[in-house]
Amino acid sequence: MNYFSTRDKSLKFSFKDIFLRGLAPGGGLFLPTEIKRFNQDELKDLSKLDYKELATEIIFNFCKDEIKKNDLKSLIEKSYSSFKDKEVVNLRKIGDSNLLELYNGPTLAFKDIAMQIIGNFYEHFKVAKDKTVNIIVATSGDTGSAAIAALNGRENINLFVLHPHNKISSVQRKIMTTTSGSNIYNVAIKGSFDDCQKIVKELFNDENFRTKINMSGVNSINWARIVCQIVYYFYTYFKLKKEKISFSVPTGNFGDIYAGYVAKKMGLPINKLIVATNENDILQRVINNGEYKPDKVKPSISPSMDIQVASNFERLLFYIVGQDDQKVSLLMDHLSKKGFFKLDESEIQEIKKDFEAVKINDETTELIIKNINDQFKFIVDPHTATGFGAAKKIKDLENIVVLGTAHPFKFSDTVKKITGKILEPPLHLKMSLDKKEKFDIIENSNSQIKNYILSKIK
Ligand SMILES: *Cc1c(COP(=O)(O)O)cnc(C)c1O
């Protein structure tokens, strides 16, 4: 099986290649030539597996020419040994609602689930054996810490984490900046997450620089991350034991929910995927009105979703325009030159077969956190709260599962303000946050970042 680009179907890359590169040459995103579709009998067999076995079966489909199944299985077992639950994720009832807790990994957000495996992929594929790999990642708060936990101290790997200065929660920042080993560089960019992501994309498209520093990336545009996230959609379906289910997904870069879309393509009986956004609602607008137009980022109480350029949407776009790479290129070109593109009515309808989208503002998010605490003595974080809010707004849908994307401790200041409760750090948080923070503050400038990186890897 090969991988091609959303903007160029003639490209052919292996899993290892696309894992290392992250972004396709020319700026597109990688997609696989085949997506395995399970039949009823196969689904039944899958339903008997535990989480790690299921992960092995699902992920194997996307890299089977390049890793032995047994090796993949041990890699997955090793990756999830630091999680609180043996089953990695935890499905629970909050009143009548279903919540899938995805935040029981070492840095308390769902990003750990993919990132722990990614860290071990670097080792398995021996990519840093002869030459140091420099990984550059942009973070809206949670990807960075998950990447640090997965790559801290690894030989021949440097990790540069770009976060938007003063725009993430203090616990999010501390998890990144108090624990870093000598191969980790935290950089606070004077700008938004979109600025950080833009710099990372520019560096990837700079062929000279990319080769010079042997650059790699672990943002959610990396297909390997999507693949790891498909697993919990299957797992939840088998646990819930209903004929058809829907998911409400707090969304920023469209990575997590896109994994649900792939799960559906693989034959999982998913009814609707509900995109929950905060005030940064570009996805809500494009899905309901067809206009994809990044606005200025508005800081919110769910900072990991303060994103206006939802990169993974391009992967959906590819299928919506009939797998036409030229059309995707044209639309993306229009976006970069004119600042938007527009889908026609039939394309909107095509998206709506699988997706719903709801915006939940900060005020409503706060109310949801308060109500869930009042009624059920349970605390959800602000991101997860938008998922609850969106699920409630969609009528006539049964068996909705809300994805819990972060542990509330990561947003303890917000939680305290709303509920008065002071949260203790959960035991599975492996880091102590009292140590001195280490990070550098840099202008929102591509060339300054380049110079910074070059100065560190001399
Ligand atoms: C990253 C993140 C999201 C958004 O996920 P995407 O894959 O970017 O859509 C939502 N909630 C939390 C807590 C996150 O860290």
Side-chain angles (χ1 to χ4, degrees):
M1 186 179 64
N2 286 309
Y3 288 84
F4 60 90
S5 161
T6 47
R7 300 186 202 177
D8 185 354
K9 284 202 281 193
S10 69
L11 292 180
K12 260 196 185 137
F13 283 89
S14 68
F15 180 79
K16 180 180 164 183
D17 285 341
I18 63 139
F19 162 65
L20 267 185
R21 295 185 72 117
L23 196 65
L29 301 188
F30 289 115
L31 280 173
T33 48
E34 298 157 41
I35 293 178
K36 158 93 185 159
R37 199 176 168 87
F38 295 108
N39 63 32
Q40 286 300 326
D41 288 343
E42 288 170 316
L43 283 177
K44 204 161 167 207
D45 288 343
L46 290 178
S47 73
K48 296 171 189 144
L49 304 179
D50 71 21
Y51 190 92
K52 291 165 203 169
E53 290 164 344
L54 182 63
T56 308
E57 291 303 322
I58 305 267
I59 297 171
F60 187 62
N61 283 294
F62 296 97
C63 51
K64 58 183 161 211
D65 310 329
E66 293 160 76
I67 183 167
K68 292 198 200 84
K69 203 188 251 186
N70 261 338
D71 291 345
L72 180 63
K73 182 149 191 276
S74 355
L75 188 152
I76 289 170
E77 272 162 13
K78 185 161 94 182
S79 303
Y80 292 145
S81 59
S82 57
F83 278 60
K84 179 176 153 234
D85 301 304
K86 220 177 104 251
E87 288 294 82
V88 183
V89 302
N90 182 39
L91 183 64
R92 67 156 80 216
K93 276 247 176 269
I94 309 290
D96 292 335
S97 311
N98 304 293
L99 169 67
L100 183 69
E101 295 179 306
L102 298 171
Y103 43 71
N104 291 329
T107 71
L108 314 182
F110 82 89
K111 306 290 201 299
D112 285 323
I113 293 177
M115 210 63 88
Q116 284 293 316
I117 291 185
I118 299 268
N120 289 320
F121 270 158
Y122 276 102
E123 198 172 299
H124 175 84
F125 289 120
K126 298 195 172 43
V127 288
K129 195 162 160 265
D130 306 319
K131 198 171 168 206
T132 299
V133 174
N134 288 292
I135 299 170
I136 323 285
V137 66
T139 182
S140 59
D142 294 321
T143 292
S145 51
I148 291 169
L151 297 165
N152 207 6
R154 284 193 195 253
E155 221 173 305
N156 286 349
I157 289 181
N158 291 321
L159 174 65
F160 292 86
V161 180
L162 279 45
H163 76 261
H165 188 40
N166 286 334
K167 294 196 173 72
I168 61 178
S169 86
S170 63
V171 177
Q172 283 183 310
R173 193 190 63 243
K174 283 183 189 165
I175 293 181
M176 293 197 288
T177 57
T178 59
T179 54
S180 314
S182 61
N183 67 329
I184 310 289
Y185 299 94
N186 277 295
V187 180
I189 302 273
K190 291 189 185 166
S192 65
F193 168 77
D194 287 342
D195 295 324
C196 299
Q197 181 164 254
K198 184 157 170 274
I199 292 175
V200 172
K201 282 189 182 172
E202 282 168 1
L203 298 192
F204 267 106
N205 282 325
D206 182 337
E207 195 62 25
N208 263 338
F209 186 75
R210 193 176 65 77
T211 11
K212 183 172 176 183
I213 69 162
N214 197 21
M215 179 170 162
S216 183
V218 293
N219 271 112
S220 69
I221 46 179
N222 193 317
W223 177 254
R225 278 187 55 188
I226 308 268
V227 164
C228 301
Q229 292 169 204
I230 296 169
V231 181
Y232 44 75
Y233 287 90
F234 277 83
Y235 184 82
T236 306
Y237 177 77
F238 298 140
K239 276 265 148 175
L240 207 63
K241 295 192 170 58
K242 302 282 183 204
E243 209 170 308
K244 249 192 167 182
I245 68 176
S246 295
F247 290 91
S248 180
V249 187
T251 304
N253 224 351
F254 206 70
D256 203 10
I257 197 161
Y258 189 77
Y261 178 74
V262 182
K264 191 169 180 181
K265 275 192 178 302
M266 294 177 87
L268 195 70
I270 293 177
N271 189 359
K272 284 284 164 68
L273 294 157
I274 306 166
V275 171
T277 78
N278 63 23
E279 292 274 4
N280 299 284
D281 68 337
I282 180 165
L283 287 167
Q284 184 273 126
R285 284 180 283 124
V286 69
I287 291 170
N288 291 320
N289 311 316
E291 189 176 61
Y292 186 93
K293 187 177 183 191
D295 207 342
K296 221 171 128 47
V297 175
K298 301 182 195 98
S300 78
I301 58 170
S302 44
S304 303
M305 291 155 52
D306 290 351
I307 295 175
Q308 285 284 347
V309 184
S311 298
N312 279 292
F313 189 72
E314 184 171 337
R315 289 194 159 109
L316 176 64
L317 199 58
F318 177 79
Y319 292 105
I320 296 307
V321 300
Q323 312 200 15
D324 180 345
D325 52 354
Q326 295 310 310
K327 179 96 194 267
V328 174
S329 301
L330 277 175
L331 289 173
M332 297 318 285
D333 203 45
H334 200 275
L335 174 67
S336 85
K337 295 207 174 96
K338 303 268 167 64
F340 72 98
F341 62 76
K342 188 128 180 62
L343 300 177
D344 63 31
E345 195 49 40
S346 66
E347 289 160 343
I348 299 174
Q349 288 318 315
E350 193 60 30
I351 296 180
K352 291 220 136 199
K353 283 184 189 159
D354 299 311
F355 293 91
E356 298 275 356
V358 179
K359 166 170 81 171
I360 303 292
N361 66 20
D362 276 0
E363 203 187 326
T364 311
T365 306
E366 290 187 12
L367 208 61
I368 293 164
I369 295 173
K370 187 175 176 307
N371 286 344
I372 293 179
N373 179 46
D374 289 349
Q375 284 184 48
F376 309 110
K377 298 273 163 291
F378 188 83
I379 305 272
V380 295
D381 95 284
H383 305 78
T384 305
T386 66
F388 275 94
K392 208 167 170 190
K393 281 224 174 132
I394 303 287
K395 300 277 176 266
D396 308 324
L397 261 195
E398 286 183 328
N399 303 320
I400 304 179
V401 178
V402 177
L403 298 198
T405 49
H407 192 287
F409 177 71
K410 269 196 142 164
F411 305 93
S412 7
D413 294 349
T414 305
V415 166
K416 178 162 172 264
K417 209 184 96 208
I418 299 166
T419 65
K421 281 196 176 157
I422 296 170
L423 300 181
E424 292 295 327
L427 292 174
H428 60 284
L429 176 66
K430 294 286 184 297
M431 301 141 167
S432 114
L433 305 183
D434 311 329
K435 289 194 224 141
K436 190 169 157 25
E437 290 192 58
K438 209 177 85 185
F439 65 99
D440 295 305
I441 303 167
I442 296 190
E443 295 298 324
N444 172 17
S445 139
N446 172 325
S447 61
Q448 290 202 25
I449 287 294
K450 276 189 190 170
N451 288 337
Y452 176 87
I453 293 170
L454 290 173
S455 76
K456 296 295 180 191
I457 62 179
K458 279 265 157 53

